[in-house]
Amino acid sequence: MLVFLISCFSFILLVSKSFFKPMGNFSNVWFSEELVKFLALWFSKGRNAISFLNLPLMTDHVKSKLENVVEKEEGVSLLDLPDLTLECIFERLPPNGLCNMTAVCSSLREKCTSDHLWEKHMKEKWGELIGSAAYKEWQCYVVSRNKASILEKSRKKRDLYGKFSKIRKLLWNRSKGNEDDSKIGNSSEMSSIMDWYLSLETGKFWFPAQVFNREVQNGHVGFMLSCYDAEVSYDCRTNTFSARYPSYGRRIIEDDIEWNRLRAPTVDTLPYVLHVSDCLDDLKPDDHIEIQWRKSKEFAYGWWYGVVGHLESCSGSKLNCHCHASETVLLEFKQYTPGSRWRQTVINRKDHREVGNEGDGFYGGIRKLYSDKEISLWNRLLPNNTLE
């Protein structure tokens, strides 16, 4: 610094007469302003450098101006902004920006981890895919993770006898149904929306969803126009998902599943449970439906898309159709060619239960599609060529 001051002293002395007195020329005024800013930035790292301003060649006006600039440079802080201004800034930050801000200081970490900031990002990216089943699974995931964390801390703090006594007490309480969960889930940070979002983004959390056209991309065209329950995990590197399907005897995993092949579960019925149909009396020709189907009793149900057709005794004319008054309902699966054993099936609307056999599979519960959005999702999956 001393070498710099000595080398610059002659320069400052040279320009002092023309620089520090009032001038009307615009270029000189601009030059003086820029030089003041330069000096302010140079000396902003050390207040002791302001003693240099006591040089006799510098006027009081310029000295005061430079001191003010230095004070402003040193005094401005992000935390000095009003809370409303900070909120507006944080609301415009993407998720990775909020994560970066949490590493600055404890005050910003508290602000940037608040649920109301992350709720918007959660809805924008995951709102259509995360349903009530995924939320329940997340709550169980948090409790399980916190239990593991508590046990791990206890293991490190206690000696061998203490470890076994703690676990014995935990197992005893669990068997009696009075396990103390008061310490579990108390951390708002661990169960916050931010934590949920990041667990989804990193793929740590597998959540329930349904997959359209299961394994069709691997050559299994028999699953065309179906939707199966699965546990899925997100891969942020490829922006795709992996799915684990419940299966009899072995686990089936499918990778590279695009977003448009996923949906949140539409009903609370578990994959192995018969869905209770509440729409049978409303079914009429041209209605769109989903019906449970499984290959055998040991397998989980999948949901298959179809439409209600006209009975053989009906002419097909809307004016003379009485199919809606019949106890039987004809279901058509138009992805199969006419004459195929998979093309049609008949159910009883008054006493419907699981029907079928080991050869043709078993048909279960039915849900009617009322939403144009749901129907359009199925229509875009219709194959170009019908199946045998």
Side-chain angles (χ1 to χ4, degrees):
M1 176 63 75
L2 181 60
V3 175
F4 173 79
L5 294 179
I6 296 173
S7 62
C8 292
F9 182 77
S10 59
F11 169 75
I12 296 174
L13 185 61
L14 180 65
V15 301
S16 60
K17 293 183 179 180
S18 60
F19 171 61
F20 293 110
K21 64 182 180 179
M23 292 185 178
N25 187 281
F26 177 80
S27 62
N28 288 338
V29 173
W30 175 84
F31 177 78
S32 65
E33 292 287 339
E34 292 301 310
L35 184 57
V36 168
K37 292 179 181 179
F38 169 77
L39 292 175
L41 292 174
W42 180 266
F43 293 123
S44 62
K45 295 183 179 180
R47 293 290 299 181
N48 293 333
I50 299 300
S51 60
F52 175 70
L53 300 179
N54 294 326
L55 290 174
L57 56 86
M58 188 173 293
T59 65
D60 293 338
H61 170 72
V62 175
K63 187 189 302 182
S64 174
K65 188 172 185 179
L66 184 54
E67 287 177 334
N68 291 337
V69 173
V70 172
E71 289 177 356
K72 290 179 180 179
E73 290 290 334
E74 291 185 346
V76 174
S77 170
L78 181 64
L79 295 177
D80 293 334
L81 296 174
D83 290 341
L84 182 58
T85 304
L86 283 176
E87 287 294 324
C88 292
I89 294 174
F90 296 151
E91 287 176 356
R92 286 163 174 77
L93 289 179
N96 60 338
L98 288 174
C99 289
N100 292 335
M101 293 296 287
T102 60
V104 175
C105 64
S106 59
S107 179
L108 290 181
R109 179 168 61 251
E110 181 180 356
K111 294 179 182 296
C112 293
T113 57
S114 61
D115 283 350
H116 80 276
L117 290 176
W118 286 92
E119 186 175 5
K120 180 188 70 171
H121 298 296
M122 192 73 178
K123 288 181 179 180
E124 286 179 355
K125 185 164 186 176
W126 298 99
E128 294 188 1
L129 190 54
I130 297 297
S132 58
Y135 179 74
K136 293 177 182 177
E137 188 68 22
W138 168 249
Q139 296 299 317
C140 296
Y141 175 82
V142 171
V143 171
S144 176
R145 185 181 60 180
N146 289 358
K147 286 180 180 178
S149 177
I150 291 173
L151 290 176
E152 179 65 19
K153 290 179 181 179
S154 176
R155 185 188 67 81
K156 292 181 179 180
K157 291 181 179 180
R158 297 176 179 270
D159 57 12
L160 185 61
Y161 175 80
K163 296 175 189 177
F164 284 106
S165 63
K166 181 70 175 179
I167 294 175
R168 184 170 64 251
K169 180 180 179 181
L170 179 64
L171 294 176
W172 172 261
N173 288 335
R174 181 179 299 174
S175 65
K176 295 299 182 180
N178 57 356
E179 179 179 349
D180 182 14
D181 285 335
S182 60
K183 295 183 179 180
I184 298 174
N186 287 339
S187 173
S188 60
E189 181 179 355
M190 295 190 70
S191 60
S192 65
I193 297 180
M194 174 185 175
D195 184 36
W196 191 7
Y197 184 94
L198 296 180
S199 296
L200 289 167
E201 284 287 316
T202 57
K204 295 180 179 179
F205 175 54
W206 291 73
F207 61 96
Q210 292 180 333
V211 184
F212 290 103
N213 288 356
R214 163 184 171 177
E215 300 180 88
V216 169
Q217 62 182 11
N218 297 331
H220 298 275
V221 294
F223 289 106
M224 186 69 70
L225 288 188
S226 68
C227 194
Y228 274 78
D229 289 277
E231 288 183 334
V232 301
S233 173
Y234 179 64
D235 186 348
C236 60
R237 297 169 299 177
T238 59
N239 195 30
T240 60
F241 294 83
S242 297
R244 299 188 302 215
Y245 299 105
S247 181
Y248 177 72
R250 64 188 180 93
R251 173 176 290 182
I252 299 176
I253 298 179
E254 182 181 2
D255 298 319
D256 301 323
I257 300 173
E258 302 288 342
W259 282 82
N260 58 7
R261 289 181 54 204
L262 294 176
R263 75 176 183 184
T266 54
V267 293
D268 294 332
T269 308
L270 297 176
Y272 287 92
V273 178
L274 179 68
H275 176 67
V276 178
S277 307
D278 58 359
C279 62
L280 298 179
D281 291 336
D282 298 331
L283 294 180
K284 59 185 183 300
D286 297 327
D287 280 346
H288 300 262
I289 57 97
E290 292 178 10
I291 185 171
Q292 288 178 310
W293 181 87
R294 57 181 173 180
K295 184 178 180 180
S296 65
K297 298 281 188 176
E298 292 79 16
F299 288 90
Y301 285 111
W303 289 96
W304 293 74
Y305 171 72
V307 294
V308 179
H310 291 274
L311 297 171
E312 292 184 0
S313 58
C314 180
S315 63
S317 172
K318 292 183 178 181
L319 297 177
N320 299 319
C321 179
H322 300 284
C323 294
H324 62 279
S326 174
E327 291 188 359
T328 58
V329 180
L330 177 69
L331 304 179
E332 287 189 300
F333 306 96
K334 295 185 178 181
Q335 65 268 37
Y336 297 102
T337 57
S340 170
R341 62 173 179 163
W342 309 107
R343 173 77 179 196
Q344 296 179 342
T345 190
V346 177
I347 64 168
N348 189 313
R349 77 167 79 225
K350 298 298 182 182
D351 186 27
H352 177 59
R353 60 189 68 183
E354 184 182 60
V355 295
N357 53 61
E358 292 291 339
D360 297 333
F362 296 88
Y363 296 89
I366 298 174
R367 61 180 295 263
K368 181 178 177 179
L369 303 182
Y370 297 93
S371 168
D372 291 336
K373 183 178 180 180
E374 279 192 293
I375 296 172
S376 64
L377 285 176
W378 285 109
N379 286 334
R380 66 174 173 78
L381 297 173
L382 286 171
N384 296 326
N385 300 315
T386 54
L387 308 176
E388 295 293 333

